[in-house]
């Protein structure tokens, strides 16, 4: 559970809701299914035009990570890598083959497999650096989905408001209903602006942070495996990996390194 995301969402929604009530409004006034259908249906449709369906499905899956992210500090990963370095130094690089089955992280597993198969350190770095770039390019599409939604939603909210006003203008003979109709029409604008600034754009920002954290994990893993292949002293490796943590954020893992 990400307390920051949940707390921020609750604070934002509560602040807006309490402000509405203090101004004499009613929360039920904000419940307009038609406006929600226009804004969210239109936004999702626009996003589907811009991005492939597979990317949108992946973005929908990643949305839960904004609120339910499993935190695990990188210190455990460092410990695992140092243990592998100690084993390789003591029993030889081929002894790490027995540990491959327990490695859950695909990037780390592939790096170790290449190292065990006799790949040269520089070649390993080149191959896995290319892998890093490909993974980054693919994963960077997910935050862009939410950024696009954050751009479309306010505009479609305005479209919803205009549609509502058109209906109001057709019933001007009943002047008592005009005010209520205008108020309802502008709920679509609230939905559009609110969803963009409370959900879509913040989610994009949080996912970008998570993406960078995963990239740091992979960079650190690659450097560790290449260093193990070069026969680095485990204590020197510990010092090198410590630099990744000291000069960056305390990175978090989406999955355990070992099953």
């Amino acid at each position: 559970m990400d307390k920051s995301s949940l707390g921020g969402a609750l604070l934002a929604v509560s602040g807006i809701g309490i402000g509405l009530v203090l101004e004499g409004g009613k929360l039920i006034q904000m419940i307009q299914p038609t406006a929600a259908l226009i804004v969210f249906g239109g936004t999702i449709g626009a996003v589907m035009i811009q991005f492939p369906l597979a990317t949108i499905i992946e973005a929908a899956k990643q949305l839960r990570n904004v609120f339910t992210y499993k935190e695990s500090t990188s210190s455990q990963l460092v410990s695992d890598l140092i243990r592998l370095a100690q084993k390789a130094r003591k029993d030889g690089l081929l002894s790490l083959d027995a540990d491959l089955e327990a490695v859950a992280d695909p990037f780390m597993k592939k790096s170790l497999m290449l190292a065990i198969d006799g790949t040269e350190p520089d070649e390993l770095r080149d191959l896995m650096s290319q892998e890093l770039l490909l993974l980054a390019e693919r994963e960077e599409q997910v935050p862009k989905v939410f950024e696009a939604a954050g751009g479309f939603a306010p505009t479609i909210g305005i479209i919803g408001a205009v549609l509502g006003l058109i209906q109001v203008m057709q019933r001007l003979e009943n002047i008592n209903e005009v005010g209520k109709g205008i108020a309802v029409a502008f709920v679509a604008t609230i939905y559009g602006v609110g969803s963009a600034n409370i959900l879509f754009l913040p989610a994009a920002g949080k996912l970008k942070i998570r993406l960078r954290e995963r990239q740091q994990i992979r960079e650190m893993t690659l450097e560790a495996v290449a260093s193990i292949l070069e026969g680095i002293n485990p204590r020197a490796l510990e010092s090198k990996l410590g630099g990744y943590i000291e000069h960056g954020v305390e990175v978090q893992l989406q999955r355990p390194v070992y099953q």
Side-chain angles (χ1 to χ4, degrees):
M1 178 184 297
D2 190 313
K3 295 180 180 179
S4 176
S5 295
L6 288 172
L10 288 173
L11 181 61
V13 174
S14 298
I16 293 172
I18 293 172
L20 172 65
V21 172
L22 291 177
E23 287 293 325
K26 298 179 180 179
L27 293 177
I28 197 171
Q29 294 173 337
M30 296 294 101
I31 302 176
Q32 300 294 337
T34 303
L37 178 63
I38 292 172
V39 173
F40 295 111
T43 299
I44 293 172
V47 170
M48 289 178 69
I49 295 172
Q50 181 171 345
F51 294 92
L53 184 59
T55 303
I56 296 172
I57 292 173
E58 180 61 26
K61 293 178 181 178
Q62 290 290 330
L63 181 60
R64 70 178 183 274
N65 291 329
V66 175
F67 301 98
T68 61
Y69 200 69
K70 294 181 180 179
E71 297 187 1
S72 175
T73 61
S74 57
S75 58
Q76 181 59 50
L77 174 61
V78 172
S79 298
D80 291 334
L81 291 169
I82 293 172
R83 182 184 65 79
L84 291 174
Q86 291 170 339
K87 185 175 181 180
R89 190 175 180 84
K90 179 181 179 182
D91 302 325
L93 191 62
L94 292 178
S95 66
L96 301 184
D97 189 61
D99 294 82
L100 287 178
E101 192 66 29
V103 177
D105 181 69
F107 185 84
M108 180 176 176
K109 190 170 189 175
K110 185 173 181 179
S111 299
L112 284 171
M113 288 177 64
L114 289 171
I116 293 170
D117 288 343
T119 306
E120 292 296 323
D122 289 341
E123 185 180 359
L124 175 66
R125 286 189 174 94
D126 290 341
L127 289 172
M128 297 311 295
S129 293
Q130 184 64 28
E131 181 90 1
L132 277 173
L133 290 175
L134 293 174
L135 286 170
E137 286 180 4
R138 184 164 64 249
E139 291 177 343
E140 284 171 359
Q141 295 302 309
V142 171
K144 290 180 180 179
V145 170
F146 293 102
E147 288 181 340
F152 293 136
T155 303
I156 295 175
I158 294 173
I159 293 174
V162 172
L163 291 174
L165 290 175
I166 290 173
Q167 302 306 312
V168 169
M169 298 301 289
Q170 292 177 348
R171 295 193 294 270
L172 286 177
E173 68 280 359
N174 190 350
I175 196 65
N176 293 327
E177 296 296 323
V178 171
K180 293 181 180 179
I182 292 175
V184 170
F186 280 104
V187 170
T189 304
I190 295 174
Y191 281 3
V193 175
S195 63
N197 292 280
I198 296 177
L199 176 60
F200 297 133
L201 295 179
K206 179 62 70 72
L207 289 174
K208 282 183 177 181
I209 293 173
R210 298 270 161 79
L211 171 60
R212 181 53 191 152
E213 290 170 354
R214 291 197 296 274
Q215 290 173 341
Q216 286 181 311
I217 283 287
R218 291 169 186 151
E219 290 169 3
M220 183 171 66
T221 300
L222 173 57
E223 185 57 36
V225 174
S227 297
I228 292 173
L229 186 58
E230 292 170 336
I232 190 173
N233 185 291
R235 291 186 180 276
L237 177 61
E238 183 177 7
S239 177
K240 179 183 288 189
L241 297 184
Y244 276 86
I245 300 174
E246 292 172 3
H247 295 93
V249 298
E250 181 67 9
V251 291
Q252 302 168 336
L253 306 178
Q254 278 191 301
R255 67 184 77 181
V257 175
Y258 286 90
Q259 294 174 330

